[in-house]
């Protein structure tokens, strides 16, 4: 019996080390447990009479360690799943937040050949006002465009809004207001793509106000400032009729 003790003890120790290696050597408690088992194996080899009971005891402890290792791994797996779920929720929340923020972030728009940044609400209000204007409801369009200027005084839409507001006021026969807004547009943005049209509109308003001399001067200035435009060609025709 004593001749087989070293081999059996060594085999049992190898089993302990092999089964515990993956997880138990990662903490001090596991190391201490294995050292204790090793010491007890050494003591067993010195006493054949204690071999059977010691082996049974060692096997029992080994089984407990295996169970603890399995439980530990199960807990770790659950923790990994929990962390993974939390990370996914965090990504989902971040994605939702980014989408909500994009609804409020300025976006690049282009109107009448001019590009600028505009808030989503700003773009929405401008588009809504233009829908009303194009529908021919010029009284409502005048109110909507005037409100836009008050709400967004520094807007990149400003020159276009002034131009269309002047047109709405002209359609409503509010000539003095139309003249004011056309001139504001020209003063603020003389190089705007609609500036020639605005100047032509000024001459129309002046004619409605019986200011023929002023209209003639405006047409002359239009031809000089924007010579290669359709508005300039129209101005030449009208200028000839006013002589």
């Amino acid at each position: 019996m004593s001749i087989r003790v070293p081999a059996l003890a060594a085999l049992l120790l190898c089993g302990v080390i092999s089964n515990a290696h993956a997880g138990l050597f990662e903490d001090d408690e596991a190391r201490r447990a294995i050292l204790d088992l090793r010491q007890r194996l050494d003591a067993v080899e010195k006493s054949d009479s204690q071999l059977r009971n010691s082996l049974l005891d060692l096997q029992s402890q080994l089984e407990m360690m295996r169970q603890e290792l399995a439980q530990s791994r199960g807990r770790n797996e659950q923790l990994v799943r929990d962390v993974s779920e939390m990370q996914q929720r965090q990504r989902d929340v971040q994605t939702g937040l980014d989408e909500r923020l994009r609804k409020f972030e300025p976006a690049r728009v282009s109107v009448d050949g001019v590009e600028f940044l505009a808030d989503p609400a700003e773009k929405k209000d401008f588009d809504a006002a233009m829908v009303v204007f194009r529908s021919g409801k010029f009284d409502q369009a005048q109110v909507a465009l005037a409100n836009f200027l008050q709400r967004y005084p520094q807007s990149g839409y400003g020159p276009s809004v002034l131009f269309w507001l002047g047109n709405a006021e002209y359609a409503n026969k509010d000539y003095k207001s139309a003249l004011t807004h056309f001139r504001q547009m020209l003063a603020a943005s003389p190089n705007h793509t609609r500036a020639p049209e605005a100047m032509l509109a000024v001459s129309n308003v002046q004619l409605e106000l019986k200011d023929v001399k002023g209209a003639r001067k405006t047409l002359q200035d239009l031809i000089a400032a924007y010579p290669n435009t359709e508005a300039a060609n129209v101005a030449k025709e009208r200028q000839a009729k006013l002589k």
Side-chain angles (χ1 to χ4, degrees):
M1 184 71 167
S2 62
I3 296 174
R4 298 172 58 189
V5 168
L8 184 58
L11 181 60
L12 181 59
L13 179 59
C14 289
V16 172
I17 294 174
S18 175
N19 284 278
H21 183 274
L24 297 177
F25 280 144
E26 296 180 359
D27 58 69
D28 294 338
E29 183 177 359
R31 294 192 189 94
R32 287 196 296 271
I34 291 174
L35 289 174
D36 179 66
L37 288 174
R38 185 176 295 166
Q39 292 172 358
R40 296 186 63 180
L41 281 171
D42 292 341
V44 166
E45 291 180 355
K46 296 177 183 179
S47 176
D48 291 348
S49 61
Q50 298 177 356
L51 178 59
R52 184 178 298 275
N53 292 334
S54 296
L55 286 176
L56 291 174
D57 185 41
L58 288 171
Q59 289 175 347
S60 176
Q61 291 191 36
L62 177 59
E63 182 60 28
M64 291 178 61
M65 293 175 67
R66 287 173 177 168
Q67 292 176 1
E68 291 178 357
L69 177 61
Q71 293 174 357
S72 176
R73 286 174 177 168
R75 288 193 297 270
N76 289 339
E77 290 174 359
Q78 183 60 46
L79 286 173
V80 170
R81 286 194 294 270
D82 291 343
V83 171
S84 179
E85 290 177 1
M86 291 178 64
Q87 289 175 332
Q88 184 59 49
R89 288 179 62 188
Q90 182 182 17
R91 286 191 291 269
D92 292 342
V93 170
Q94 185 63 46
T95 299
L97 179 60
D98 291 342
E99 291 177 354
R100 288 193 295 272
L101 287 176
R102 276 194 291 273
K103 294 180 180 179
F104 298 96
E105 290 178 350
R108 184 164 294 279
V109 297
S110 178
V111 178
D112 293 331
V114 179
E115 289 191 356
F116 53 91
L117 292 176
D119 292 334
E122 184 180 355
K123 181 179 184 302
K124 180 180 178 182
D125 289 348
F126 175 80
D127 291 343
M130 291 307 299
V131 168
V132 176
F133 180 91
R134 294 188 185 100
S135 70
K137 300 176 182 177
F138 299 116
D139 53 342
Q140 296 180 26
Q142 180 176 340
V143 173
L145 291 166
N147 288 340
F148 184 95
L149 288 177
Q150 292 181 351
R151 191 176 299 117
Y152 310 104
Q154 304 301 321
S155 173
Y157 287 104
S160 296
V161 172
L162 285 169
F163 176 79
W164 293 113
L165 175 58
N167 277 279
E169 291 166 336
Y170 181 86
N172 292 328
K173 298 184 179 181
D174 187 357
Y175 299 126
K176 291 184 178 180
S177 295
L179 186 61
T180 297
H181 290 126
F182 283 134
R183 283 176 170 170
Q184 284 181 359
M185 184 264 190
L186 289 166
S189 305
N191 296 320
H192 193 274
T193 185
R194 293 195 179 276
E197 296 176 62
M199 188 169 269
L200 188 61
V202 167
S203 69
N204 291 337
V205 172
Q206 289 171 323
L207 289 173
E208 293 292 345
L209 295 173
K210 311 302 181 183
D211 183 7
V212 177
K213 182 179 179 180
R216 188 180 295 114
K217 178 66 167 58
T218 299
L219 292 172
Q220 182 178 344
D221 292 343
L222 168 57
I223 295 169
Y226 310 102
N228 299 316
T229 63
E230 182 63 28
N233 293 333
V234 175
K236 291 176 183 178
E237 296 177 0
R238 292 184 180 176
Q239 191 178 44
K241 293 177 181 180
L242 290 177
K243 288 183 179 180

